Amino acid sequence: MAEIETIAVIGAGAMGRGIAFAAALGGYRTILEDILPSSLRTAAAELREHLARATDLGTVSNPEALAAFNRLEYAATVEHAAREADLVIEAVPDELESKIEIFTLLDKICRPQTILVSNTSCFSVSEIASVTYRAAKIAGMRFGNLVFSSTSLEIVRAQLTDDETIAACTEVGRRMGKQVTVIAETDL
């Protein structure tokens, strides 16, 4: 199984912020990317608030929150965020053209073993994977709408996704504190 240490999250909207929060708490170096500096500032402030709230509620200890905060990094370009990542999670709005553009770019800049994941709930992961040269290393990860509090995660196996990719995504989901269900895209 692929060893995941660094996760890049592309898109710092509500979904991306929630995924970054879960990844950092799961022990991963986490790089949150957005092309809008204001989105990154908002994300940093919100993530700090969520970590503080989690410590106030007693769900996370102060040392855990500080460690998670220290694992968070921010990037203004996809290239900077994804270059060193072992797993890249795309969390941009569901517009097929944007997703295809991002996956085409990720395929060029990421190392060959990097796993690419889409958070899409509307489009075929297999179709997105078809624009890359690494279809076996592409899957879907569908987080619940309220990522900060939701415990569910669906991992979507596209037509060519290999077992190693599914195993790595499953382990990431578990470390994020999610209850993981693996589904085949053909079952949808």
Side-chain angles (χ1 to χ4, degrees):
M1 180 172 65
E3 181 68 30
I4 307 296
E5 295 177 4
T6 301
I7 295 176
V9 180
I10 308 303
M15 184 63 71
R17 292 190 302 266
I19 294 168
F21 177 81
L25 278 176
Y28 296 102
R29 174 183 175 216
T30 305
I31 307 166
L32 181 59
E33 181 277 340
D34 203 286
I35 59 172
L36 299 174
S38 61
S39 292
L40 289 176
R41 285 192 298 275
T42 299
E46 185 177 317
L47 290 169
R48 188 179 351 256
E49 285 177 29
H50 277 285
L51 286 168
R53 192 173 314 128
T55 58
D56 290 345
L57 294 171
T59 57
V60 175
S61 70
N62 282 331
E64 288 172 321
L66 181 59
F69 184 75
N70 288 333
R71 284 189 283 271
L72 285 165
E73 301 172 31
Y74 302 91
T77 66
V78 171
E79 292 89 346
H80 181 255
R83 187 173 298 121
E84 296 176 15
D86 303 305
L87 173 71
V88 180
I89 303 172
E90 167 273 311
V92 302
D94 268 332
E95 297 168 358
L96 186 58
E97 295 79 19
S98 295
K99 292 181 183 297
I100 287 175
E101 184 178 327
I102 288 168
F103 273 80
T104 301
L105 177 61
L106 290 171
D107 196 40
K108 291 176 186 172
I109 62 174
C110 291
R111 294 170 293 157
Q113 69 273 20
T114 300
I115 296 170
L116 306 180
V117 170
S118 180
N119 184 55
T120 188
S121 58
C122 297
F123 302 112
S124 163
V125 177
S126 296
E127 183 177 353
I128 294 169
S130 73
V131 302
T132 73
Y133 290 102
R134 66 175 85 209
K137 296 286 176 210
I138 297 181
M141 290 179 86
R142 294 181 179 164
F143 293 83
N145 284 338
L146 302 172
V147 182
F148 289 105
S149 59
S150 173
T151 60
S152 66
L153 171 62
E154 286 183 340
I155 296 176
V156 180
R157 179 190 289 269
Q159 290 174 345
L160 299 176
T161 307
D162 65 22
D163 291 340
E164 182 179 331
T165 298
I166 294 300
C169 291
T170 299
E171 177 60 22
V172 166
R174 288 191 181 127
R175 280 186 52 188
M176 288 180 170
K178 306 299 181 187
Q179 294 175 345
V180 177
T181 304
V182 178
I183 59 173
E185 188 171 61
T186 55
D187 295 339
L188 299 176

